[in-house]
Structure formats: structure tokens, C-alpha cells
Amino acid sequence: MMLLPTFFALSVLSRVGLCKLYEDVSDLPGLHYDFVIAGGGTAGNVVANRLSENQHVSVLVLEAGPSNIGVLESEVPFLSTQMFLDPTYSWNYTTTPIPGFNGRSVLYNRAFILGGCSAHNGMVYTRGAAADFDRYAELSGDARWSWNQLFPYFLKAEKWSPPADQHDTRGQFNPHVHGTNGPISVSLNGFALPFFEGKIIQTTKELPADFPFNLDPNSGNELGVSWVQSTIGGGERSTSATGYFAPKFIQRQNLHVLLHAQVSKLVNATQKKGKPTFGGVEFRYGESFFVAHAAKEIVLSGGVIGSPQILMNSGIGAHSTLSALGIPTILDLPSVGQNASDQPLLILQWALNATSTPTDIVTFDSLRQNATRFAEGLTQWNASRTGPFVDSGDATHLGWARLPRGSPAFGVHADPAAGPDAPHLEFSFVPGGQTPGNSLSIFVVVVSPVSRGSVVINSSDPFAPPLINPGYFSNEWDLLAMRDGISLAERFVSAPAWRGFLGAMTPNLANLSSADLETTIRNTAAPNLHMVGTAGMSARGARYGVVDPDLQVKGAVGLSVIDASVVPIVPAGHTQAVTYAFAERGSDLLKQRWGL
Ligand SMILES: Cc1cc2nc3c(=O)[nH]c(=O)nc-3n(C[C@H](O)[C@H](O)[C@H](O)COP(=O)(O)OP(=O)(O)OC[C@H]3O[C@@H](n4cnc5c(N)ncnc54)[C@H](O)[C@@H]3O)c2cc1C
Ligand SMILES: *[C@@H]1O[C@H](CO)[C@@H](O)[C@H](O)[C@H]1NC(C)=O
Ligand SMILES: *[C@@H]1O[C@H](CO)[C@@H](O)[C@H](O)[C@H]1NC(C)=O
Ligand SMILES: *[C@@H]1O[C@H](CO)[C@@H](O)[C@H](O)[C@H]1NC(C)=O
Ligand SMILES: *[C@@H]1O[C@H](CO)[C@@H](O)[C@H](O)[C@H]1NC(C)=O
Ligand SMILES: *[C@@H]1O[C@H](CO)[C@@H](O)[C@H](O)[C@H]1NC(C)=O
Ligand SMILES: *[C@@H]1O[C@H](CO)[C@@H](O)[C@H](O)[C@H]1NC(C)=O
Ligand SMILES: *[C@@H]1O[C@H](CO)[C@@H](O)[C@H](O)[C@H]1NC(C)=O
Ligand SMILES: *[C@@H]1O[C@H](CO)[C@@H](O)[C@H](O)[C@H]1NC(C)=O
């Protein structure tokens, strides 16, 4: 639909010099702005859009990665796996050896492209439990971070959209909890899998105590099984770049975006009212260094790895870490990079013994395992934005559950969920797998982990990769919760709906001893890539934390962090919706502070 005209418009605009996406630093009109935003990712582009609504302020975004425009694997939802595994658009991070993963180092994907992780993620749209936000309000001492008060900001970012196949969506979501005018499209899947989807819904009827049907998990009440919602509109991925930098926004004369510009650190420190403030943002373009100046405020939106790294490079962090690397401490803030909170994931898979028909493919395996069908799917998407490529090819439904009341997990740690209605576990029901033939996969995720990790610089070279330690399973509670998650997934497939259709399980966990099961979990679990908290928000005057409830760095002046790193504890959900909501509210805080 709209993609080809959009390309056309952009290429015409860039030819007449109106396009404000700068590929070359020498084309940038100047280096003095009111606001400089470090990182053009999920959150940074929201802030840039909202600030530049006021034509009297000038905004510069510095993004290390390339443009998103014309990157087919980012546009086509079904190519999302290919996209996030493509090193061209990745920071290529690897974790330190993770003790809870039996010492394995694993890939920790972060996107290196305008739009950030919104341009390569799985597009799943979930907000979390109401209690997650009420907990943010409590620990920040600011009721405006509560579910009720943040709710309008979820809606502000969102444009609920019809699915690509225009099917009747009644009974598949609750229209009252969605926004209709925001930049980010959200929709239900647009390619039906009647056999597979029918089995999931049938299971909710057969096992209603453990897996009740929930009309909409984004109402604040997640528990149960719901149809998946994704950041997709008209069959295309919707990102902070396609949405907040759509042609009508990026044309603004007061909004400039420089690509291929990697921020090293904040410079030109002076004192204001006895507190440090920074006059410039140093960045590398090619082999040269430049300094961009912010008259009003610097905003760090480099994400959970980038933002704490820039802070530490600039002398803001734990004095002991900085001095060991020879970096002068400007602000001793020991929480920078600490309290990293992310969720461990385990994939269970069963062979699915059923036969596709021309109108009802059992799973997406038939496309992934047949190059001809794969090519046909892409051609259909390209021609009409219909067919199997309009969806991610991952879950059709998500389930959310609590541990059983008597779970052994509660014997080792108090319940870490934000409230009695907040889930501990997520199940993604995925029509496809990694072995030949059709498979059902269930992704089991511990969404309320006790474990915490860290992101710490390892060098005075601002571009050296930091040490990323997500801390998975460092607390026994998380491992015991994963065991309960596996049992619940096995219970799901034990429903009559699946009888006669399921074959071998991979990994085969049946009949494993308790010790062997633990070893298998530690050897096969993976990052869920939902890290938050490395520049965490806390109450004003708290003895820990990196930013105050207004998202300004504690003890500094003219410096904010607005991205997933300020979210203090991972919500029981995926993290892009919370990032958009925090960025929308963070933009309002900036506007209020500067009277815009
Ligand atoms: C593979 C993957 C799949 C995911 N799937 C989902 C999902 O399905 N649903 C969901 O809700 N969430 C998902 N997430 C998580 C979600 O996408 C992120 O939590 C969220 O997008 C983070 O937004 P952010 O603004 O904090 O950071 P980012 O979006 O990462 O933005 C940071 C930006 O800053 C840039 N940057 C960093 N350092 C510098 C520097 N020094 N100088 C200049 N620029 C810099 C980066 O290139 C990037 O563009 C997924 C994440 C990944 C990695
Ligand atoms: C990651 O590796 C790829 C391939 O080597 C490279 O093109 C890309 O620039 C790297 N990313 C970063 C941020 O260095
Ligand atoms: C600002 O910092 C840069 C980089 O360190 C330096 O080259 C420049 O001289 C500084 N400007 C002022 C006014 O101090
Ligand atoms: C981590 O966060 C908790 C609150 O969730 C706080 O009590 C603790 O002090 C924080 N730790 C650090 C190192 O910031
Ligand atoms: C692959 O798909 C094509 C087109 O639908 C079909 O003709 C062919 O038989 C399939 N190949 C296999 C090995 O199933
Ligand atoms: C999509 O269609 C256009 C126009 O017909 C064509 O030029 C392009 O090669 C196609 N791309 C793919 C990936 O099929
Ligand atoms: C951390 O720095 C040390 C010393 O320079 C180096 O030997 C090591 O390889 C670095 N670690 C990582 C993971 O980059
Ligand atoms: C698969 O289905 C066929 C036909 O219904 C049946 O004969 C066969 O036993 C099934 N296989 C498994 C592993 O259930
Ligand atoms: C598990 O053990 C039981 C009893 O010994 C056996 O019948 C069953 O086949 C085993 N299952 C698997 C998957 O090995």
C-alpha cells in the first residue's frame, strides 16, 4: 500500500534538500541546538518529535547507525528474525560468561539503525500489569508513573489499526483500551492459521482454570490467554522511525537527524548552582570528532547499554570503577549500569502431526522449509501487503500465569511480582519450530525475575564494548519459576485439543531427573532481550538510583535520560510499549520544564 509512494516522496525531498535525515556531517547546518538527543532509537525519536512540535526550539538527534529507509528485512514483519540476526544492523554485543547459564556467553542483540530496537524487534505489543506501574509510582514517590496516570501516554503513542486481512476482530481485543491517533500502528495478526489458532482457543475452554481466555492483555490485567497484538500496520512493521519520523515530521525545519554519528561522551563540564552541567556532546563521525552543543538540555536515549556507557565515559558512575580506568569522576553515582533487570527465556518444541491444506497451513514451517513458498510469500507481500509475510511468524497468542500458590520458589524468596494479579510467567504459542516438519513451540519466560545484572565499561576507550552481565538465574527463585513454567507448558499441551497431534518434544524433558532438568535449563535458556534499569529511576533523595522521577540525572543539571534504562524493574511484559509510554511522558516533562 503506502510504502512505494513514501519512498518516492522521500527521495524527491532529499533531492531538493528538505529531508532532515543527514547522511553526512558536513551537510549539517550547524552544531548548536536547544536540545541534543544521543541515540535515535525507540525512545529518542519520540522525544525528538515531541520537542520539535514547538517550532521555536531546535533539536538534533545523533544516531550511530544507518538509515532505516529501504531496509526490506525491517519493513517485512515475517523477516524479523533475519533482521535481528543481521550483523549489519547490530551492535554485535556478547555477554560476559553467565554463571546461571553454566558459564555460557551469549549474543545480546541491540539494534544499530535509526529506530533502534523498534526496527528489529519481535513487534509484540504488551504493556505489562497495572501493578508494575503502581510499583514504579511507589518507588519513585511520584503518582504520575502509576498505571492510571501513565495510561493516556500508552494511548498517545498508539494507532490501533485493522489487520492486513481485514478480518472481523470482534471478540479478539478490547477497543476501549487502545489509542487511535498515535504514530505507532498496533494490530492483530493479518494471516489466519485456522487449525493452529483453533487449537489454542479450544485449550482455553478445556483448561479454563490455568489458561482462561482474556479478551485483552493490555487492559492492565494480563492473566490468561489472548490474541497477540503487534506493532504492525497495513502489513508493515511500525517503528519509532517510520512513525515519529514519518515524512510530515522529518520535514520540520527545526528537527535535524545525523546518522553514522557515535556519541563518545559529554564534554565541557562546568558548575551550575554547585552541580555539574555539560555544554557539549562529543561524537565521532568517520575518523573525526565533533562537539554538538545543547543550550537547554542534553537527552541520553542510547538504550540500556548505550546510555549507561555514555554516562560512565563522561565521568558519571561509581568512583571506584571510573578511577580504576583512569577516568576522572565528575559525579559519583554508583547505580549507573547496576540493577539491570531482564527475563530468561526457554523454548520448548513439539512435533505437530497435522497436514496443511491450501487454505489452512498448519504452521509457518511450510514456508521456512520451502524456498519456493518463501519466495511466493515475499512476492505476495511486495505486491499487496497480504499473505503470510504480514505477520512476524512468531506467536499467534500469548498466555500469562502465576506460579502455583505452593510453588517451592516461594520458599527461597518472597513473591517478586508487582502485585497479586501480576503474572510470573509468559507463554508465547508459536506455530513453527527448528526441526523438519510442523512444530508447536512454546516460549516460556520468567517475567518477574529476582535476579539483577549490570552493564559496566571495561576501558577508557569510549567505543570499547562494555561488560554486559544480565545476571540470569543468579537468584534461585528464577530457576524454580522456570521449572513451574515448563510444567505449565506441559499442562497446556496435555489438553484434549492436542491429543493425537503431538510428537516428540525438543529438548526432551520427559523423565529427566531434577538435576538433569536444571542442567538442561541452564544449558538452553536464552536472553529475552527486555533489559531495563541500568539508569534506573528512584525517588528524589533516595540513596540509590540514577534519575529522579522527572528523568533528570541525580546531582547534574541539564541532563536527562529517556529510554528503557530508566524503567527501574522489568515489567511483566515486553518492553517497547513501556519505552514508548515513558518517552511520551518524558517529552512532556521536558516541555513543562522549558515552558514549551
Ligand atoms: C531482538 C529483540 C527483540 C525484541 N522483541 C521485542 C518485542 O517483540 N516486543 C517488545 O515490546 N520489545 C521487544 N524487544 C525489546 C524492545 O525493543 C526494547 O526494550 C526497546 O525498543 C528499547 O528502546 P530504547 O529506546 O531504550 O533503546 P533502543 O531502541 O535500542 O535505542 C537506542 C538507540 O541509540 C543508538 N545508540 C546507542 N549508543 C549510541 C551512541 N553512543 N551514539 C549514538 N547512538 C547510539 C542505538 O543505535 C539505537 O538506535 C526486543 C529487543 C530485541 C533486541
Ligand atoms: C557489527 O558487525 C557487522 C559485520 O561485521 C558490521 O557491519 C557492523 O558495523 C558491526 N556493528 C557495529 C556497531 O560495529
Ligand atoms: C569542549 O570540549 C571539546 C572536546 O573536549 C574541546 O575541544 C573544546 O575546546 C571545549 N570547548 C570549550 C569552550 O571548553
Ligand atoms: C537496585 O534497586 C533496588 C530497588 O529496586 C535498590 O534497593 C537497590 O539499592 C538498587 N541497587 C543499586 C546498586 O542501585
Ligand atoms: C515447495 O513448494 C512448492 C510450491 O508450493 C511445491 O510445488 C513443492 O512441491 C514444495 N516442495 C516440497 C519439497 O515440499
Ligand atoms: C517488489 O516490487 C517491485 C516493483 O514491482 C520490484 O521492483 C521489486 O524488485 C520487488 N521486490 C521484491 C523483494 O520482490
Ligand atoms: C576487558 O578489558 C581487558 C583489559 O583491557 C581485556 O583484556 C578484556 O578482553 C576486556 N573484556 C571484554 C569482554 O572486552
Ligand atoms: C500422525 O497422524 C497419523 C494420521 O492421523 C497417525 O497415523 C499417526 O500415528 C500420527 N503420529 C503421531 C506421532 O501421533
Ligand atoms: C518416560 O518413562 C515412562 C516410564 O518409564 C515411559 O513409558 C515413557 O516412554 C518415557 N517417556 C519418554 C519421552 O522417554
Side-chain angles (χ1 to χ4, degrees), residues 278-472:
F278 297 86
V281 181
E282 185 189 76
F283 64 95
R284 181 176 68 177
Y285 179 93
E287 296 305 309
S288 307
F289 284 83
F290 300 84
V291 176
H293 301 276
K296 291 190 161 61
E297 200 154 327
I298 295 166
V299 180
L300 301 185
S301 299
V304 287
I305 315 291
S307 287
Q309 181 173 22
I310 293 169
L311 285 171
M312 289 181 265
N313 290 344
S314 312
I316 302 177
H319 174 68
S320 53
T321 306
L322 299 175
S323 58
L325 296 171
I327 298 173
T329 302
I330 290 185
L331 197 55
D332 183 14
L333 213 50
S335 292
V336 173
Q338 300 299 312
N339 259 333
S341 166
D342 192 10
Q343 306 152 337
L345 157 89
L346 190 77
I347 300 180
L348 304 179
Q349 184 190 308
W350 289 265
L352 196 51
N353 184 16
T355 312
S356 293
T357 69
T359 55
D360 187 356
I361 64 167
V362 171
T363 69
F364 291 114
D365 292 314
S366 55
L367 293 160
R368 295 212 175 92
Q369 294 167 15
N370 181 324
T372 310
R373 291 211 186 107
F374 191 92
E376 286 167 358
L378 186 55
T379 303
Q380 183 182 355
W381 180 89
N382 196 28
S384 63
R385 301 296 187 268
T386 62
F389 278 54
V390 302
D391 295 330
S392 70
D394 294 331
T396 64
H397 296 79
L398 303 180
W400 306 87
R402 288 182 58 83
L403 304 192
R405 269 177 213 285
S407 168
F410 298 125
V412 302
H413 196 281
D415 184 355
D421 298 322
H424 301 114
L425 296 166
E426 180 194 20
F427 304 93
S428 297
F429 302 109
V430 177
Q434 303 298 319
T435 48
N438 285 311
S439 297
L440 155 70
S441 294
I442 302 183
F443 293 16
V444 184
V445 178
V446 178
V447 292
S448 58
V450 175
S451 303
R452 296 288 183 268
S454 61
V455 174
V456 180
I457 57 171
N458 184 41
S459 168
S460 58
D461 171 0
F463 303 123
L467 304 173
I468 301 169
N469 166 22
Y472 304 119

Side-chain angles (χ1 to χ4, degrees), residues 69-421:
I69 294 170
V71 179
L72 188 75
E73 57 190 5
S74 177
E75 292 162 355
V76 184
F78 195 74
L79 300 182
S80 77
T81 307
Q82 197 168 308
M83 176 63 191
F84 84 76
L85 292 174
D86 186 341
T88 312
Y89 306 109
S90 173
W91 284 86
N92 308 315
Y93 290 132
T94 305
T95 68
T96 54
I98 302 170
F101 278 11
N102 276 344
R104 286 180 297 140
S105 289
V106 293
L107 265 182
Y108 202 86
N109 313 65
R110 291 290 104 182
F112 178 71
I113 186 171
L114 191 66
C117 292
S118 70
H120 85 161
N121 67 17
M123 297 167 285
V124 172
Y125 181 84
T126 70
R127 296 169 181 161
D132 286 316
F133 297 87
D134 295 342
R135 177 158 68 180
Y136 303 151
E138 198 185 314
L139 62 81
S140 68
D142 183 338
R144 291 170 302 174
W145 292 109
S146 66
W147 172 257
N148 282 341
Q149 294 199 48
L150 203 57
F151 191 72
Y153 290 104
F154 283 114
L155 270 45
K156 188 176 186 184
E158 183 185 16
K159 181 181 179 61
W160 184 265
S161 306
D165 61 0
Q166 308 291 329
H167 74 264
D168 183 352
T169 56
R170 281 173 298 177
Q172 297 187 349
F173 81 111
N174 176 3
H176 300 299
V177 300
H178 292 280
T180 52
N181 285 314
I184 299 301
S185 302
V186 178
S187 61
L188 294 161
N189 278 0
F191 181 78
L193 298 173
F195 170 86
F196 187 87
E197 293 166 349
K199 293 283 170 217
I200 304 285
I201 295 297
Q202 194 184 332
T203 308
T204 66
K205 293 174 179 154
E206 292 170 350
L207 301 176
D210 287 326
F211 299 102
F213 179 71
N214 178 354
L215 180 62
D216 201 313
N218 284 319
S219 64
N221 172 27
E222 293 180 292
L223 294 172
V225 175
S226 307
W227 293 84
V228 75
Q229 303 175 8
S230 305
T231 45
I232 296 173
E236 297 171 9
R237 177 196 288 269
S238 180
T239 75
S240 74
T242 65
Y244 286 89
F245 287 170
K248 64 178 168 183
F249 300 125
I250 199 74
Q251 283 174 46
R252 289 176 185 159
Q253 295 297 322
N254 58 336
L255 170 60
H256 297 173
V257 178
L258 178 63
L259 301 165
H260 319 291
Q262 186 172 352
V263 173
S264 44
K265 59 185 176 187
L266 310 178
V267 294
N268 306 134
T270 54
Q271 296 278 318
K272 209 180 230 173
K273 298 176 198 152
K275 294 175 174 177
T277 188
F278 297 86
V281 181
E282 185 189 76
F283 64 95
R284 181 176 68 177
Y285 179 93
E287 296 305 309
S288 307
F289 284 83
F290 300 84
V291 176
H293 301 276
K296 291 190 161 61
E297 200 154 327
I298 295 166
V299 180
L300 301 185
S301 299
V304 287
I305 315 291
S307 287
Q309 181 173 22
I310 293 169
L311 285 171
M312 289 181 265
N313 290 344
S314 312
I316 302 177
H319 174 68
S320 53
T321 306
L322 299 175
S323 58
L325 296 171
I327 298 173
T329 302
I330 290 185
L331 197 55
D332 183 14
L333 213 50
S335 292
V336 173
Q338 300 299 312
N339 259 333
S341 166
D342 192 10
Q343 306 152 337
L345 157 89
L346 190 77
I347 300 180
L348 304 179
Q349 184 190 308
W350 289 265
L352 196 51
N353 184 16
T355 312
S356 293
T357 69
T359 55
D360 187 356
I361 64 167
V362 171
T363 69
F364 291 114
D365 292 314
S366 55
L367 293 160
R368 295 212 175 92
Q369 294 167 15
N370 181 324
T372 310
R373 291 211 186 107
F374 191 92
E376 286 167 358
L378 186 55
T379 303
Q380 183 182 355
W381 180 89
N382 196 28
S384 63
R385 301 296 187 268
T386 62
F389 278 54
V390 302
D391 295 330
S392 70
D394 294 331
T396 64
H397 296 79
L398 303 180
W400 306 87
R402 288 182 58 83
L403 304 192
R405 269 177 213 285
S407 168
F410 298 125
V412 302
H413 196 281
D415 184 355
D421 298 322

Side-chain angles (χ1 to χ4, degrees), residues 25-39:
V25 66
S26 61
D27 292 335
L28 201 62
L31 286 167
H32 289 264
Y33 292 82
D34 291 312
F35 296 94
V36 175
I37 300 170

